[in-house]
mmCIF file of all heavy atoms in Angstrom:
data_model
loop_
_atom_site.group_PDB
_atom_site.id
_atom_site.type_symbol
_atom_site.label_atom_id
_atom_site.label_comp_id
_atom_site.label_asym_id
_atom_site.label_seq_id
_atom_site.Cartn_x
_atom_site.Cartn_y
_atom_site.Cartn_z
ATOM 1 N N ALA A 21 76.897 18.656 -84.550
ATOM 2 C CA ALA A 21 77.133 18.152 -83.191
ATOM 3 C C ALA A 21 76.239 18.862 -82.180
ATOM 4 O O ALA A 21 75.715 18.233 -81.247
ATOM 5 C CB ALA A 21 78.604 18.334 -82.822
ATOM 6 N N ILE A 22 76.059 20.175 -82.346
ATOM 7 C CA ILE A 22 75.203 20.921 -81.413
ATOM 8 C C ILE A 22 73.764 20.429 -81.504
ATOM 9 O O ILE A 22 73.096 20.196 -80.479
ATOM 10 C CB ILE A 22 75.271 22.427 -81.703
ATOM 11 C CG1 ILE A 22 76.684 22.958 -81.432
ATOM 12 C CG2 ILE A 22 74.263 23.188 -80.831
ATOM 13 C CD1 ILE A 22 76.886 24.413 -81.837
ATOM 14 N N VAL A 23 73.263 20.249 -82.717
ATOM 15 C CA VAL A 23 71.887 19.780 -82.901
ATOM 16 C C VAL A 23 71.744 18.341 -82.419
ATOM 17 O O VAL A 23 70.755 17.974 -81.766
ATOM 18 C CB VAL A 23 71.458 19.911 -84.377
ATOM 19 C CG1 VAL A 23 70.034 19.387 -84.571
ATOM 20 C CG2 VAL A 23 71.560 21.361 -84.852
ATOM 21 N N SER A 24 72.745 17.507 -82.725
ATOM 22 C CA SER A 24 72.681 16.085 -82.351
ATOM 23 C C SER A 24 72.718 15.884 -80.841
ATOM 24 O O SER A 24 72.163 14.903 -80.324
ATOM 25 C CB SER A 24 73.844 15.326 -83.007
ATOM 26 O OG SER A 24 73.832 15.475 -84.402
ATOM 27 N N ALA A 25 73.405 16.784 -80.142
ATOM 28 C CA ALA A 25 73.499 16.650 -78.687
ATOM 29 C C ALA A 25 72.181 16.992 -77.994
ATOM 30 O O ALA A 25 71.913 16.513 -76.878
ATOM 31 C CB ALA A 25 74.613 17.565 -78.158
ATOM 32 N N PHE A 26 71.355 17.789 -78.643
ATOM 33 C CA PHE A 26 70.142 18.295 -78.001
ATOM 34 C C PHE A 26 69.195 17.189 -77.525
ATOM 35 O O PHE A 26 68.743 17.219 -76.364
ATOM 36 C CB PHE A 26 69.415 19.271 -78.923
ATOM 37 C CG PHE A 26 68.125 19.799 -78.376
ATOM 38 C CD1 PHE A 26 68.087 20.382 -77.120
ATOM 39 C CD2 PHE A 26 66.949 19.702 -79.103
ATOM 40 C CE1 PHE A 26 66.887 20.874 -76.597
ATOM 41 C CE2 PHE A 26 65.757 20.185 -78.593
ATOM 42 C CZ PHE A 26 65.724 20.770 -77.342
ATOM 43 N N PRO A 27 68.849 16.184 -78.340
ATOM 44 C CA PRO A 27 67.913 15.159 -77.837
ATOM 45 C C PRO A 27 68.493 14.346 -76.687
ATOM 46 O O PRO A 27 67.743 13.924 -75.795
ATOM 47 C CB PRO A 27 67.653 14.283 -79.069
ATOM 48 C CG PRO A 27 68.793 14.536 -79.987
ATOM 49 C CD PRO A 27 69.196 15.954 -79.759
ATOM 50 N N ILE A 28 69.822 14.135 -76.682
ATOM 51 C CA ILE A 28 70.437 13.397 -75.575
ATOM 52 C C ILE A 28 70.311 14.202 -74.285
ATOM 53 O O ILE A 28 69.909 13.681 -73.241
ATOM 54 C CB ILE A 28 71.922 13.097 -75.891
ATOM 55 C CG1 ILE A 28 72.041 12.280 -77.182
ATOM 56 C CG2 ILE A 28 72.577 12.346 -74.731
ATOM 57 C CD1 ILE A 28 73.465 12.067 -77.660
ATOM 58 N N VAL A 29 70.643 15.490 -74.367
ATOM 59 C CA VAL A 29 70.521 16.369 -73.203
ATOM 60 C C VAL A 29 69.056 16.457 -72.751
ATOM 61 O O VAL A 29 68.762 16.386 -71.552
ATOM 62 C CB VAL A 29 71.056 17.784 -73.535
ATOM 63 C CG1 VAL A 29 70.815 18.746 -72.370
ATOM 64 C CG2 VAL A 29 72.540 17.724 -73.877
ATOM 65 N N TYR A 30 68.162 16.581 -73.703
ATOM 66 C CA TYR A 30 66.731 16.729 -73.405
ATOM 67 C C TYR A 30 66.203 15.528 -72.626
ATOM 68 O O TYR A 30 65.531 15.679 -71.590
ATOM 69 C CB TYR A 30 65.959 16.904 -74.710
ATOM 70 C CG TYR A 30 64.483 17.084 -74.536
ATOM 71 C CD1 TYR A 30 63.923 18.337 -74.303
ATOM 72 C CD2 TYR A 30 63.621 15.982 -74.612
ATOM 73 C CE1 TYR A 30 62.553 18.494 -74.132
ATOM 74 C CE2 TYR A 30 62.253 16.125 -74.445
ATOM 75 C CZ TYR A 30 61.724 17.381 -74.206
ATOM 76 O OH TYR A 30 60.364 17.530 -74.039
ATOM 77 N N PHE A 31 66.528 14.333 -73.093
ATOM 78 C CA PHE A 31 65.989 13.134 -72.439
ATOM 79 C C PHE A 31 66.665 12.883 -71.092
ATOM 80 O O PHE A 31 66.013 12.431 -70.149
ATOM 81 C CB PHE A 31 66.131 11.928 -73.353
ATOM 82 C CG PHE A 31 65.099 11.898 -74.432
ATOM 83 C CD1 PHE A 31 65.455 12.090 -75.758
ATOM 84 C CD2 PHE A 31 63.755 11.706 -74.141
ATOM 85 C CE1 PHE A 31 64.502 12.090 -76.760
ATOM 86 C CE2 PHE A 31 62.796 11.707 -75.143
ATOM 87 C CZ PHE A 31 63.173 11.891 -76.460
ATOM 88 N N LEU A 32 67.945 13.202 -70.971
ATOM 89 C CA LEU A 32 68.597 13.068 -69.670
ATOM 90 C C LEU A 32 67.955 14.005 -68.640
ATOM 91 O O LEU A 32 67.813 13.654 -67.462
ATOM 92 C CB LEU A 32 70.091 13.368 -69.793
ATOM 93 C CG LEU A 32 70.963 12.292 -70.459
ATOM 94 C CD1 LEU A 32 72.385 12.794 -70.625
ATOM 95 C CD2 LEU A 32 70.954 11.003 -69.643
ATOM 96 N N ASN A 33 67.576 15.194 -69.099
ATOM 97 C CA ASN A 33 66.968 16.175 -68.196
ATOM 98 C C ASN A 33 65.516 15.857 -67.852
ATOM 99 O O ASN A 33 65.020 16.269 -66.808
ATOM 100 C CB ASN A 33 67.033 17.574 -68.813
ATOM 101 C CG ASN A 33 68.454 18.117 -68.855
ATOM 102 O OD1 ASN A 33 69.317 17.669 -68.107
ATOM 103 N ND2 ASN A 33 68.702 19.072 -69.739
ATOM 104 N N HIS A 34 64.814 15.144 -68.736
ATOM 105 C CA HIS A 34 63.378 14.926 -68.550
ATOM 106 C C HIS A 34 63.006 13.512 -68.096
ATOM 107 O O HIS A 34 61.825 13.237 -67.872
ATOM 108 C CB HIS A 34 62.629 15.255 -69.848
ATOM 109 C CG HIS A 34 62.546 16.722 -70.121
ATOM 110 N ND1 HIS A 34 63.609 17.440 -70.634
ATOM 111 C CD2 HIS A 34 61.539 17.620 -69.937
ATOM 112 C CE1 HIS A 34 63.250 18.709 -70.763
ATOM 113 N NE2 HIS A 34 62.012 18.853 -70.356
ATOM 114 N N LEU A 35 63.995 12.635 -67.952
ATOM 115 C CA LEU A 35 63.683 11.273 -67.503
ATOM 116 C C LEU A 35 63.852 11.121 -66.002
ATOM 117 O O LEU A 35 63.675 10.021 -65.472
ATOM 118 C CB LEU A 35 64.569 10.267 -68.241
ATOM 119 C CG LEU A 35 64.244 10.065 -69.726
ATOM 120 C CD1 LEU A 35 65.232 9.096 -70.363
ATOM 121 C CD2 LEU A 35 62.811 9.546 -69.894
ATOM 122 N N GLY A 36 64.231 12.208 -65.336
ATOM 123 C CA GLY A 36 64.368 12.161 -63.883
ATOM 124 C C GLY A 36 65.549 11.351 -63.409
ATOM 125 O O GLY A 36 65.552 10.833 -62.283
ATOM 126 N N ILE A 37 66.565 11.211 -64.262
ATOM 127 C CA ILE A 37 67.756 10.444 -63.891
ATOM 128 C C ILE A 37 68.642 11.301 -63.004
ATOM 129 O O ILE A 37 68.879 12.474 -63.273
ATOM 130 C CB ILE A 37 68.531 10.004 -65.151
ATOM 131 C CG1 ILE A 37 67.626 9.131 -66.021
ATOM 132 C CG2 ILE A 37 69.794 9.250 -64.787
ATOM 133 C CD1 ILE A 37 68.241 8.761 -67.352
ATOM 134 N N GLN A 38 69.156 10.704 -61.916
ATOM 135 C CA GLN A 38 70.021 11.438 -61.006
ATOM 136 C C GLN A 38 71.359 11.744 -61.666
ATOM 137 O O GLN A 38 71.754 11.125 -62.660
ATOM 138 C CB GLN A 38 70.242 10.627 -59.728
ATOM 139 C CG GLN A 38 68.967 10.417 -58.911
ATOM 140 C CD GLN A 38 69.242 9.613 -57.658
ATOM 141 O OE1 GLN A 38 70.353 9.177 -57.406
ATOM 142 N NE2 GLN A 38 68.195 9.432 -56.849
ATOM 143 N N SER A 39 72.058 12.706 -61.087
ATOM 144 C CA SER A 39 73.298 13.203 -61.679
ATOM 145 C C SER A 39 74.327 12.100 -61.898
ATOM 146 O O SER A 39 74.925 11.988 -62.969
ATOM 147 C CB SER A 39 73.904 14.306 -60.798
ATOM 148 O OG SER A 39 73.045 15.408 -60.725
ATOM 149 N N ARG A 40 74.547 11.265 -60.879
ATOM 150 C CA ARG A 40 75.552 10.205 -61.012
ATOM 151 C C ARG A 40 75.166 9.226 -62.113
ATOM 152 O O ARG A 40 76.009 8.765 -62.887
ATOM 153 C CB ARG A 40 75.725 9.476 -59.689
ATOM 154 C CG ARG A 40 76.384 10.323 -58.600
ATOM 155 C CD ARG A 40 76.616 9.496 -57.352
ATOM 156 N NE ARG A 40 77.240 10.283 -56.302
ATOM 157 C CZ ARG A 40 77.595 9.797 -55.124
ATOM 158 N NH1 ARG A 40 77.370 8.516 -54.840
ATOM 159 N NH2 ARG A 40 78.156 10.581 -54.217
ATOM 160 N N GLN A 41 73.890 8.908 -62.163
ATOM 161 C CA GLN A 41 73.428 7.956 -63.171
ATOM 162 C C GLN A 41 73.566 8.527 -64.584
ATOM 163 O O GLN A 41 73.990 7.824 -65.501
ATOM 164 C CB GLN A 41 71.967 7.583 -62.890
ATOM 165 C CG GLN A 41 71.766 6.771 -61.624
ATOM 166 C CD GLN A 41 70.302 6.557 -61.318
ATOM 167 O OE1 GLN A 41 69.471 7.416 -61.597
ATOM 168 N NE2 GLN A 41 69.983 5.399 -60.755
ATOM 169 N N SER A 42 73.197 9.792 -64.743
ATOM 170 C CA SER A 42 73.293 10.394 -66.073
ATOM 171 C C SER A 42 74.743 10.485 -66.528
ATOM 172 O O SER A 42 75.049 10.280 -67.700
ATOM 173 C CB SER A 42 72.649 11.787 -66.079
ATOM 174 O OG SER A 42 73.342 12.677 -65.233
ATOM 175 N N SER A 43 75.648 10.772 -65.587
ATOM 176 C CA SER A 43 77.070 10.820 -65.927
ATOM 177 C C SER A 43 77.556 9.444 -66.361
ATOM 178 O O SER A 43 78.311 9.310 -67.331
ATOM 179 C CB SER A 43 77.890 11.309 -64.733
ATOM 180 O OG SER A 43 77.501 12.607 -64.369
ATOM 181 N N PHE A 44 77.117 8.417 -65.659
ATOM 182 C CA PHE A 44 77.505 7.048 -66.008
ATOM 183 C C PHE A 44 76.968 6.670 -67.390
ATOM 184 O O PHE A 44 77.677 6.082 -68.205
ATOM 185 C CB PHE A 44 76.982 6.078 -64.949
ATOM 186 C CG PHE A 44 77.272 4.641 -65.265
ATOM 187 C CD1 PHE A 44 78.544 4.111 -65.088
ATOM 188 C CD2 PHE A 44 76.262 3.807 -65.756
ATOM 189 C CE1 PHE A 44 78.805 2.783 -65.387
ATOM 190 C CE2 PHE A 44 76.509 2.481 -66.056
ATOM 191 C CZ PHE A 44 77.795 1.970 -65.870
ATOM 192 N N ILE A 45 75.701 7.035 -67.658
ATOM 193 C CA ILE A 45 75.083 6.736 -68.950
ATOM 194 C C ILE A 45 75.854 7.404 -70.091
ATOM 195 O O ILE A 45 76.138 6.793 -71.119
ATOM 196 C CB ILE A 45 73.601 7.169 -68.955
ATOM 197 C CG1 ILE A 45 72.793 6.275 -68.019
ATOM 198 C CG2 ILE A 45 73.027 7.121 -70.370
ATOM 199 C CD1 ILE A 45 71.387 6.776 -67.767
ATOM 200 N N VAL A 46 76.195 8.673 -69.894
ATOM 201 C CA VAL A 46 76.944 9.397 -70.921
ATOM 202 C C VAL A 46 78.304 8.745 -71.149
ATOM 203 O O VAL A 46 78.752 8.568 -72.287
ATOM 204 C CB VAL A 46 77.114 10.882 -70.528
ATOM 205 C CG1 VAL A 46 78.099 11.589 -71.451
ATOM 206 C CG2 VAL A 46 75.764 11.591 -70.570
ATOM 207 N N GLY A 47 78.978 8.372 -70.061
ATOM 208 C CA GLY A 47 80.287 7.728 -70.191
ATOM 209 C C GLY A 47 80.207 6.432 -70.978
ATOM 210 O O GLY A 47 81.027 6.175 -71.864
ATOM 211 N N VAL A 48 79.222 5.600 -70.652
ATOM 212 C CA VAL A 48 79.044 4.320 -71.359
ATOM 213 C C VAL A 48 78.649 4.563 -72.818
ATOM 214 O O VAL A 48 79.161 3.904 -73.732
ATOM 215 C CB VAL A 48 77.974 3.461 -70.647
ATOM 216 C CG1 VAL A 48 77.628 2.235 -71.488
ATOM 217 C CG2 VAL A 48 78.474 3.051 -69.267
ATOM 218 N N PHE A 49 77.749 5.524 -73.009
ATOM 219 C CA PHE A 49 77.224 5.812 -74.349
ATOM 220 C C PHE A 49 78.337 6.226 -75.306
ATOM 221 O O PHE A 49 78.334 5.851 -76.480
ATOM 222 C CB PHE A 49 76.170 6.914 -74.232
ATOM 223 C CG PHE A 49 75.436 7.196 -75.505
ATOM 224 C CD1 PHE A 49 74.472 6.320 -75.981
ATOM 225 C CD2 PHE A 49 75.694 8.344 -76.248
ATOM 226 C CE1 PHE A 49 73.783 6.570 -77.158
ATOM 227 C CE2 PHE A 49 75.012 8.611 -77.418
ATOM 228 C CZ PHE A 49 74.053 7.724 -77.883
ATOM 229 N N PHE A 50 79.304 6.998 -74.809
ATOM 230 C CA PHE A 50 80.350 7.524 -75.686
ATOM 231 C C PHE A 50 81.630 6.689 -75.701
ATOM 232 O O PHE A 50 82.521 6.948 -76.510
ATOM 233 C CB PHE A 50 80.708 8.960 -75.287
ATOM 234 C CG PHE A 50 79.735 9.973 -75.819
ATOM 235 C CD1 PHE A 50 78.724 10.457 -75.002
ATOM 236 C CD2 PHE A 50 79.802 10.414 -77.126
ATOM 237 C CE1 PHE A 50 77.811 11.380 -75.476
ATOM 238 C CE2 PHE A 50 78.892 11.334 -77.616
ATOM 239 C CZ PHE A 50 77.895 11.821 -76.794
ATOM 240 N N PHE A 51 81.717 5.699 -74.838
ATOM 241 C CA PHE A 51 82.953 4.926 -74.785
ATOM 242 C C PHE A 51 83.267 4.255 -76.121
ATOM 243 O O PHE A 51 84.377 4.370 -76.639
ATOM 244 C CB PHE A 51 82.879 3.862 -73.674
ATOM 245 C CG PHE A 51 84.083 2.962 -73.650
ATOM 246 C CD1 PHE A 51 85.260 3.383 -73.054
ATOM 247 C CD2 PHE A 51 84.049 1.699 -74.243
ATOM 248 C CE1 PHE A 51 86.388 2.565 -73.036
ATOM 249 C CE2 PHE A 51 85.166 0.875 -74.244
ATOM 250 C CZ PHE A 51 86.338 1.310 -73.628
ATOM 251 N N TYR A 52 82.271 3.565 -76.682
ATOM 252 C CA TYR A 52 82.532 2.821 -77.920
ATOM 253 C C TYR A 52 82.801 3.740 -79.112
ATOM 254 O O TYR A 52 83.766 3.511 -79.852
ATOM 255 C CB TYR A 52 81.380 1.871 -78.224
ATOM 256 C CG TYR A 52 81.657 0.946 -79.383
ATOM 257 C CD1 TYR A 52 82.734 0.060 -79.344
ATOM 258 C CD2 TYR A 52 80.862 0.971 -80.529
ATOM 259 C CE1 TYR A 52 83.000 -0.789 -80.406
ATOM 260 C CE2 TYR A 52 81.122 0.132 -81.595
ATOM 261 C CZ TYR A 52 82.193 -0.747 -81.532
ATOM 262 O OH TYR A 52 82.468 -1.576 -82.583
ATOM 263 N N PRO A 53 81.992 4.809 -79.350
ATOM 264 C CA PRO A 53 82.330 5.721 -80.463
ATOM 265 C C PRO A 53 83.722 6.334 -80.337
ATOM 266 O O PRO A 53 84.446 6.457 -81.331
ATOM 267 C CB PRO A 53 81.241 6.797 -80.378
ATOM 268 C CG PRO A 53 80.099 6.141 -79.695
ATOM 269 C CD PRO A 53 80.707 5.184 -78.725
ATOM 270 N N LEU A 54 84.115 6.714 -79.122
ATOM 271 C CA LEU A 54 85.441 7.298 -78.935
ATOM 272 C C LEU A 54 86.533 6.250 -79.110
ATOM 273 O O LEU A 54 87.608 6.541 -79.655
ATOM 274 C CB LEU A 54 85.549 7.937 -77.544
ATOM 275 C CG LEU A 54 84.696 9.194 -77.337
ATOM 276 C CD1 LEU A 54 84.748 9.627 -75.879
ATOM 277 C CD2 LEU A 54 85.150 10.330 -78.243
ATOM 278 N N PHE A 55 86.255 5.024 -78.682
ATOM 279 C CA PHE A 55 87.217 3.939 -78.905
ATOM 280 C C PHE A 55 87.411 3.678 -80.394
ATOM 281 O O PHE A 55 88.541 3.499 -80.856
ATOM 282 C CB PHE A 55 86.734 2.661 -78.210
ATOM 283 C CG PHE A 55 87.529 1.443 -78.585
ATOM 284 C CD1 PHE A 55 88.804 1.242 -78.087
ATOM 285 C CD2 PHE A 55 87.005 0.503 -79.469
ATOM 286 C CE1 PHE A 55 89.551 0.123 -78.461
ATOM 287 C CE2 PHE A 55 87.729 -0.617 -79.847
ATOM 288 C CZ PHE A 55 89.005 -0.810 -79.330
ATOM 289 N N LEU A 56 86.305 3.670 -81.143
ATOM 290 C CA LEU A 56 86.417 3.475 -82.594
ATOM 291 C C LEU A 56 87.234 4.592 -83.237
ATOM 292 O O LEU A 56 88.065 4.340 -84.116
ATOM 293 C CB LEU A 56 85.023 3.425 -83.224
ATOM 294 C CG LEU A 56 84.185 2.174 -82.982
ATOM 295 C CD1 LEU A 56 82.836 2.313 -83.690
ATOM 296 C CD2 LEU A 56 84.906 0.926 -83.482
ATOM 297 N N MET A 57 86.991 5.828 -82.805
ATOM 298 C CA MET A 57 87.734 6.945 -83.364
ATOM 299 C C MET A 57 89.215 6.851 -83.004
ATOM 300 O O MET A 57 90.095 7.117 -83.830
ATOM 301 C CB MET A 57 87.150 8.272 -82.883
ATOM 302 C CG MET A 57 87.879 9.500 -83.423
ATOM 303 S SD MET A 57 88.047 9.492 -85.235
ATOM 304 C CE MET A 57 86.316 9.617 -85.703
ATOM 305 N N PHE A 58 89.517 6.471 -81.768
ATOM 306 C CA PHE A 58 90.914 6.302 -81.361
ATOM 307 C C PHE A 58 91.597 5.238 -82.207
ATOM 308 O O PHE A 58 92.707 5.442 -82.705
ATOM 309 C CB PHE A 58 90.977 5.918 -79.879
ATOM 310 C CG PHE A 58 92.360 5.579 -79.407
ATOM 311 C CD1 PHE A 58 93.291 6.575 -79.173
ATOM 312 C CD2 PHE A 58 92.725 4.260 -79.215
ATOM 313 C CE1 PHE A 58 94.587 6.262 -78.747
ATOM 314 C CE2 PHE A 58 94.007 3.931 -78.787
ATOM 315 C CZ PHE A 58 94.939 4.933 -78.548
ATOM 316 N N ARG A 59 90.925 4.122 -82.395
ATOM 317 C CA ARG A 59 91.505 3.037 -83.190
ATOM 318 C C ARG A 59 91.744 3.471 -84.632
ATOM 319 O O ARG A 59 92.802 3.203 -85.210
ATOM 320 C CB ARG A 59 90.579 1.808 -83.155
ATOM 321 C CG ARG A 59 91.183 0.576 -83.791
ATOM 322 C CD ARG A 59 90.267 -0.612 -83.636
ATOM 323 N NE ARG A 59 89.020 -0.440 -84.375
ATOM 324 C CZ ARG A 59 88.037 -1.336 -84.405
ATOM 325 N NH1 ARG A 59 88.157 -2.459 -83.689
ATOM 326 N NH2 ARG A 59 86.939 -1.117 -85.090
ATOM 327 N N THR A 60 90.769 4.196 -85.197
ATOM 328 C CA THR A 60 90.904 4.657 -86.580
ATOM 329 C C THR A 60 92.025 5.680 -86.724
ATOM 330 O O THR A 60 92.859 5.589 -87.635
ATOM 331 C CB THR A 60 89.580 5.284 -87.058
ATOM 332 O OG1 THR A 60 88.548 4.303 -86.984
ATOM 333 C CG2 THR A 60 89.703 5.763 -88.498
ATOM 334 N N SER A 61 92.061 6.644 -85.821
ATOM 335 C CA SER A 61 93.065 7.703 -85.942
ATOM 336 C C SER A 61 94.472 7.175 -85.697
ATOM 337 O O SER A 61 95.430 7.657 -86.310
ATOM 338 C CB SER A 61 92.753 8.848 -84.972
ATOM 339 O OG SER A 61 92.906 8.441 -83.626
ATOM 340 N N GLN A 62 94.618 6.182 -84.834
ATOM 341 C CA GLN A 62 95.954 5.655 -84.547
ATOM 342 C C GLN A 62 96.413 4.624 -85.568
ATOM 343 O O GLN A 62 97.617 4.458 -85.781
ATOM 344 C CB GLN A 62 95.989 5.052 -83.135
ATOM 345 C CG GLN A 62 95.688 6.054 -82.038
ATOM 346 C CD GLN A 62 96.510 7.322 -82.145
ATOM 347 O OE1 GLN A 62 97.725 7.291 -81.978
ATOM 348 N NE2 GLN A 62 95.872 8.445 -82.428
#
């Protein structure tokens, strides 16, 4: 997880995306994987 997070953090930091936008991107990016995990675990 630590290694996998690095390229996401790297590109968010180097693409010049503003804070609000990067937060929105992260939220959208992780919504579906977390939803799948919630559905599976429940």
Side-chain angles (χ1 to χ4, degrees):
I22 295 174
V23 179
S24 303
F26 177 53
I28 301 174
V29 175
Y30 181 86
F31 282 112
L32 286 175
N33 290 339
H34 287 78
L35 289 177
I37 300 174
Q38 295 180 358
S39 297
R40 291 184 180 182
Q41 292 174 327
S42 64
S43 299
F44 177 76
I45 291 170
V46 170
V48 171
F49 187 74
F50 279 98
F51 175 80
Y52 187 60
L54 291 173
F55 170 75
L56 287 180
M57 180 53 65
F58 174 76
R59 188 176 66 180
T60 300
S61 67
Q62 299 310 293

